[in-house]
Amino acid sequence: MSDPLLKVEDLTAGYGAAPVLRDVRFAMSDGQITAVLGANGAGKTTLLRTLSGLVRPTGGRILFDGEPLDGVPPHRLVRRGLVHVPEGRGVIGELTVAENLRLGGVWRRDRAGEARSLAEVLDLFPEIARRRRHAAHQLSGGERQMLALGRALMARPRLLLLDEPSLGLAPRITAQVMALLRQWRDATGLAVLLVEQNVRSALSVADNAAVMSLGRVVVTAPAAQLRDDEDLRHTYLGF
Ligand code: ATP
């Protein structure tokens, strides 16, 4: 069998002496959308930050495409296809929409491929395309989220780490963002690790889910099972 795209083995990490992540284990394959769910403080953001090299693991292993990621700096991870969209989005308000998008492709070496990606991203997000000469700070929250997503897609990721894309968005816009994510996945085989407080919307887009509690992954299951199995939902998601 081929290696999973991402394999996390007994991962431990934190910000000081006390670990936040404790023996986290899970795997995901190409083209899979995995939701990471769990209460505030469960360690979801820390998991993404550790996977993208911003927090150093204190134990365990992260294998991306069969290769260990330990100590690989974040910009090199982007070249290898692992792109992180942090909570709060991080678009640069003073730059135009088009400039923000180009920044996402800055690590690429194939200029023709980059131009193709720009066309594809503008195609995927027509609202963004219409406003590409505007400064990013003029966009609405939903448009900024789409811009952040578009900028990440410009790097042609194989795995996107997406933190709370629904934060501050109206439900209709959240649904739109989730649908676009699925559309891009279907077209490119992108894998997404999606951290979400909005459990319903995450389960509507994900194939699988990992539920975290107190720094551990306490259950992994197909998203449909978590959606439909009342006992599982009660036990792990509290509704
Ligand atoms: P939320 O949805 O509230 O962001 P989360 O599941 O993403 O929750 P984390 O943000 O990963 O959880 O936080 C996990 C734990 O790590 C919390 O106890 C938090 O206080 C602590 N923590 C997070 N960031 C830092 C930091 N920069 N320095 C020290 N402790 C931190």
Side-chain angles (χ1 to χ4, degrees), residues 21 26 28 33-51 84-88 145 159-167 174 177-178 181 192-199 201-203 205-206 208-212:
L21 301 182
F26 69 97
M28 54 190 295
I33 302 181
T34 298
V36 182
L37 308 173
N40 278 341
K44 306 179 297 296
T45 294
T46 304
L47 174 61
L48 293 199
R49 291 173 57 82
T50 308
L51 294 177
H84 185 186
V85 182
E87 190 179 313
Q145 180 59 62
L159 173 61
L160 193 62
L161 307 176
L162 200 51
D163 202 351
E164 299 274 2
S166 75
L167 200 74
T174 299
V177 170
M178 297 295 168
L181 206 55
V192 184
L193 193 60
L194 170 69
V195 162
E196 260 297 344
Q197 289 284 340
N198 186 336
V199 173
S201 99
L203 291 179
V205 69
N208 298 79
V211 183
M212 291 188 73

Side-chain angles (χ1 to χ4, degrees), residues 163-187:
D163 202 351
E164 299 274 2
S166 75
L167 200 74
L169 301 188
R172 187 178 55 84
I173 308 291
T174 299
Q176 206 181 340
V177 170
M178 297 295 168
L180 290 172
L181 206 55
R182 242 189 132 102
Q183 196 180 325
W184 190 273
R185 183 280 298 274
D186 292 345

Side-chain angles (χ1 to χ4, degrees), residues 49-60:
R49 291 173 57 82
T50 308
L51 294 177
S52 68
L54 297 170
V55 173
R56 243 179 193 291
T58 47

